[in-house]
Amino acid sequence: MSEEVDLAVAQREAARVAAMADIADVRLFDASLHFDRFPDESNAMTWQLEMTPSISYHDGADFFILEIEYEVVIQEMADTPPAEAADTTDLATMAFKLGSLYRLELNGRAQPGSSELDSFAKTMGTMALYPYAREFVQNITSRMGLPPLTLATFRLPFPDTRVAPKEPDEAAPTPSAPRKRASKRASASK
């Protein structure tokens, strides 16, 4: 089965959950920061992001909890073109978990299944919590004395609608983690 078909199925399953779920609360569940050293101001910085979503739901409940674990590794790059071949060294690591409470309004509809909830977590749920993660990363990197890091916009791949989705029988694919360059640190001298 192709990834596009899997993604189309996951997005269709997630849409059914989204039609009956509303986000009620978002909280920071856990955070761990590690700062290795100050960067060399002449070098560029880059970052890597890993996201791991999970759902807690009990049959018959009128709510579920989405938790996403994030790990951001900020690295310094030696200024040697091309950037993809540059040596990198870790500057800082941020690991944190955000959780969101979703209320369910079934209104006569069937309860969401585990496959639908997993699909929601990996697609629409991840998109809903991502702005909170971006704000946290930007705030904390600034407080760590690094250039404020703004994570790239989270995008789900758009499936080819010409490929007919098969009924779900497997877990949806995990969205790939973006990797971006952060801007150079501004000089504080003068």
Side-chain angles (χ1 to χ4, degrees):
M1 183 184 297
S2 77
E3 284 186 37
E4 287 185 352
V5 171
D6 290 343
L7 181 60
V9 169
Q11 289 177 343
R12 188 176 73 208
E13 287 182 335
R16 192 177 101 72
V17 174
M20 61 180 121
D22 191 19
I23 196 165
D25 195 10
V26 175
R27 303 228 176 151
L28 176 66
F29 284 4
D30 191 19
S32 172
L33 310 172
H34 181 76
F35 186 62
D36 288 326
R37 62 183 176 78
F38 287 99
D40 179 338
E41 292 187 10
S42 65
N43 288 337
M45 295 170 60
T46 188
W47 54 274
Q48 296 177 346
L49 170 66
E50 295 288 330
M51 299 180 288
T52 308
S54 63
I55 291 272
S56 297
Y57 175 69
H58 301 287
D59 285 340
D62 65 348
F63 68 93
F64 63 88
I65 297 172
L66 167 64
E67 295 178 9
I68 302 180
E69 295 180 25
Y70 300 88
E71 183 179 59
V72 180
V73 178
I74 302 168
Q75 299 171 318
E76 181 176 35
M77 296 174 44
D79 282 338
T80 55
E84 294 79 27
D87 289 329
T88 61
T89 55
D90 291 355
L91 291 175
T93 303
M94 302 170 60
F96 60 100
K97 184 191 305 185
L98 293 176
S100 57
L101 172 68
Y102 280 86
R103 296 277 178 209
L104 285 172
E105 294 186 25
L106 298 175
N107 295 331
R109 292 176 278 211
Q111 294 178 358
S114 62
S115 175
E116 291 173 319
L117 289 167
D118 287 342
S119 293
F120 179 83
K122 293 174 182 175
T123 57
M124 295 176 178
T126 298
M127 289 185 76
L129 273 183
Y130 193 71
Y132 296 93
R134 289 179 79 196
E135 189 281 329
F136 183 79
V137 168
Q138 188 173 42
N139 185 315
I140 296 301
T141 52
S142 176
R143 290 174 184 262
M144 294 172 83
L146 295 169
L149 173 59
T150 301
L151 299 178
T153 303
F154 179 74
R155 293 183 178 95
L156 291 172
F158 189 75
D160 184 350
T161 56
R162 296 171 295 175
V163 178
K166 184 179 166 220
E167 286 305 312
D169 61 346
E170 297 177 18
T174 302
S176 59
R179 178 185 164 112
K180 299 291 178 188
R181 275 180 84 127
S183 60
K184 288 187 178 181
R185 182 178 171 89
S187 175
S189 60
K190 286 193 185 181

